[in-house]
Amino acid sequence: MTQWEYKTFARTREFSSSGKAKDWNIDIQAKLAELGDQGWELVSYGPRCDMALYTGHPGSYGFGATTSDIWIFKRPKAS
């Protein structure tokens, strides 16, 4: 039976006071290429919303904004 090992990492970004998204802290294409070269396979991705954007009307907030996400990978354990 195949046994697996797992790796996770979280990617985050911040927002300016005006609500504009800043860059992510990880270059995802480079990270995916690096992990793929090491034999890791992506099995799950999940976004996380830690903030709601203010719409400009007192007490009113709009849609949520993705502030982080988690990436889960697996590969067969070496024998």
Side-chain angles (χ1 to χ4, degrees), residues 20-75:
K20 183 176 179 183
K22 297 182 181 180
D23 289 338
W24 290 98
N25 69 330
I26 293 175
D27 175 354
I28 196 63
Q29 290 201 351
K31 186 70 168 177
L32 291 173
E34 171 193 337
L35 293 174
D37 288 345
Q38 296 171 11
W40 293 101
E41 176 183 0
L42 178 66
V43 295
S44 183
Y45 158 85
R48 181 174 171 180
C49 174
D50 286 336
M51 69 179 285
L53 298 180
Y54 183 60
T55 64
H57 302 288
S60 176
Y61 288 84
F63 62 90
T66 302
T67 55
S68 64
D69 48 30
I70 187 162
W71 301 72
I72 303 170
F73 297 80
K74 73 175 186 178
R75 70 179 177 189

